[in-house]
Amino acid sequence: MKVCLSQMGDGAAMHAEEVPLYNGPLCGVYHQQIAEVTDMGNSSGFPQVLIQAQRELLNYSGTGISVLEMSHRTSDFSNIINTTENLLRELLNIPENYKVLFLHGGGTGQFSAVPLNLIGLKKDRCADYIVTGIWSAKAAKEAEKYGKVNLIHPNLDRYTSIPDSSSWSLNPSASYVYYCCNETVHGVEFNFIPETKDVIIVSDMSSNFLSRPIDVSKFGLIFAGAQKNIGCAGVTVVIVKEDLLGNALKECPIVLDYQVQAGNSSLYNTPSCFSIYIMKLVLEWIKSNGGAEAMEILNKKKSSLIYDIINTSNGFYCCPIDVSCRSRMNIPFRIGKKEGDEALEKLFLDGASKLGMISLKGHRSVGGIRASLYNAVTLEDAQALSAYMKEFLKDHLTEIDH
Ligand SMILES: Cc1ncc(COP(=O)(O)O)c(C=O)c1O
């Protein structure tokens, strides 16, 4: 009998042999729930991943214990974190001169970590932030604590576009240029990498990471919370070019210091072991389903299904985002009129929920509807939503003012 209390309070760890293994019926029920309820908001589970995690929950790979109980210093966990890193390197073709880190603190933690580690790269201690939505605005605000921040286009009255790059006034002596590749709330996505001459680029890819291939070699740093496309909350991936390490400001907390974390293979302090394990399962799933290229094809198809209905609805569904930067991940729209008919929108959400489609309500700051089509949302899920949108349009078209 194994007893492992390394990461749980006394008495919290279970003895593997004492707990019945859940298989059969519970597995079936769980699967059914996932199949019937599609979460179109935050990340939804990959059914196969959840089932595998359930199967292994009490006894990981014959170890007799759960990953939840496992010490991060064991060879079993080393295998998990190394496999996760290798999968990421393979799926994104990450060059050897980049470190891959698995950190705590979410995307928000990186809003601080990025300036703390990189704003001192040049003596002026300044950085350019291209602001295209609330996440890049928040990141810029946080960076202002540590240096001078030049906001590129902060005064867009609404975040619905990416201003033409010829109008950006980038500072050649900036330590880095920062942008958010996909603004989750507003649905504004970059489909190009900004040209910044010799200044390194930092990108928040929290909500479109691994939804398509990216050329990592063009970036100084990329970060992404796992919870949208590659796992569950609790771990944030940082991919950073090696020659940028070692420039942290002296006030940088040690857990956020990239050089310290890289030197300790992300094990300077206890990492989010279970979240890293879930990421490994999701990456295995992505790999066996064709990798980043296949995700891109799928995500294009899924988002086209929804945009096609919006575009042909004669204004019944309105997406305010410029066509050139419409996100494949998050599609915000209003119903009935540009600023939305709240009664119709409520009816839409209630009807969707009855069909098992949840989390379609838009972010509280913009209202309306938002469909999030992360990697775990299947083509069939998107088809179900598009069929529902067509039906709803047919039933309610006459109720709106033209
Ligand atoms: C693009 C983007 N960046 C950052 C964040 C903040 O992430 P976290 O809540 O993990 O701190 C989010 C959250 O949804 C996001 O969508």
Side-chain angles (χ1 to χ4, degrees), residues 60-236:
Y60 173 72
S61 187
T63 56
I65 60 165
S66 169
V67 177
L68 288 165
E69 304 171 274
M70 200 177 268
S71 161
H72 60 293
R73 303 285 176 205
T74 57
S75 59
D76 290 313
F77 186 71
S78 288
N79 278 340
I80 291 174
I81 196 167
N82 292 340
T83 308
T84 312
E85 174 172 344
N86 291 338
L87 281 163
L88 265 181
R89 287 189 177 277
E90 185 184 340
L91 288 167
L92 286 174
N93 205 8
I94 300 175
E96 279 187 8
N97 60 332
Y98 282 73
K99 292 286 186 193
V100 176
L101 309 176
F102 300 98
L103 304 182
H104 292 280
T108 308
Q110 291 309 307
F111 295 169
S112 322
V114 164
L116 280 162
N117 281 275
L118 302 181
I119 209 159
L121 276 174
K122 293 187 189 161
K123 68 173 176 15
D124 287 358
R125 262 208 198 191
C126 64
D128 287 338
Y129 275 71
I130 305 173
V131 177
T132 52
I134 68 159
W135 293 114
S136 43
K138 282 189 182 202
K141 191 154 191 288
E142 182 64 14
E144 279 170 0
K145 293 180 184 167
Y146 307 109
K148 273 181 271 155
V149 167
N150 174 29
L151 299 177
I152 315 284
H153 294 291
N155 296 324
L156 298 173
D157 51 348
R158 302 178 313 143
Y159 296 118
T160 53
S161 61
I162 298 174
D164 192 87
S165 56
S166 62
S167 69
W168 303 351
S169 51
L170 296 177
N171 174 358
S173 60
S175 293
Y176 59 88
V177 176
Y178 178 105
Y179 77 104
C180 177
C181 197
N182 182 63
E183 283 285 356
T184 322
V185 170
H186 295 92
V188 173
E189 184 170 15
F190 278 75
N191 58 17
F192 63 98
I193 300 173
E195 174 48 64
T196 60
K197 304 237 164 51
D198 297 328
V199 181
I200 63 154
I201 310 178
V202 172
S203 187
D204 172 3
M205 297 194 183
S206 291
S207 52
N208 64 353
F209 192 65
L210 259 172
S211 67
R212 53 174 153 119
I214 34 160
D215 182 353
V216 175
S217 72
K218 295 267 193 312
F219 294 84
L221 183 143
I222 291 166
F223 71 85
Q227 64 267 32
K228 308 278 196 261
N229 276 308
I230 52 161
C232 62
V235 59
T236 307

Side-chain angles (χ1 to χ4, degrees), residues 223-284:
F223 71 85
Q227 64 267 32
K228 308 278 196 261
N229 276 308
I230 52 161
C232 62
V235 59
T236 307
V237 172
V238 174
I239 302 172
V240 56
K241 206 169 175 191
E242 259 168 14
D243 61 9
L244 300 178
L245 301 177
N247 292 289
L249 303 181
K250 68 175 182 341
E251 57 268 42
C252 179
I254 199 153
V255 288
L256 296 182
D257 188 322
Y258 297 143
Q259 187 177 40
V260 171
Q261 289 290 7
N264 288 278
S265 307
S266 305
L267 301 177
Y268 176 77
N269 66 323
T270 314
S272 299
C273 297
F274 197 75
S275 302
I276 294 170
Y277 155 72
I278 293 290
M279 189 192 295
K280 170 177 130 7
L281 299 185
V282 173
L283 296 179
E284 284 166 350

Side-chain angles (χ1 to χ4, degrees), residues 16-73:
E17 287 101 317
E18 287 173 7
V19 184
L21 268 184
Y22 295 121
N23 48 33
L26 183 58
C27 208
V29 170
Y30 202 17
H31 185 235
Q32 204 181 354
Q33 277 177 3
I34 295 163
E36 285 178 0
V37 178
T38 302
D39 189 330
M40 319 292 291
N42 221 322
S43 72
S44 59
F46 296 81
Q48 299 90 325
V49 165
L50 293 179
I51 289 164
Q52 189 176 345
Q54 184 196 42
R55 204 183 302 126
E56 296 180 333
L57 185 66
L58 302 177
N59 182 358
Y60 173 72
S61 187
T63 56
I65 60 165
S66 169
V67 177
L68 288 165
E69 304 171 274
M70 200 177 268
S71 161
H72 60 293
R73 303 285 176 205

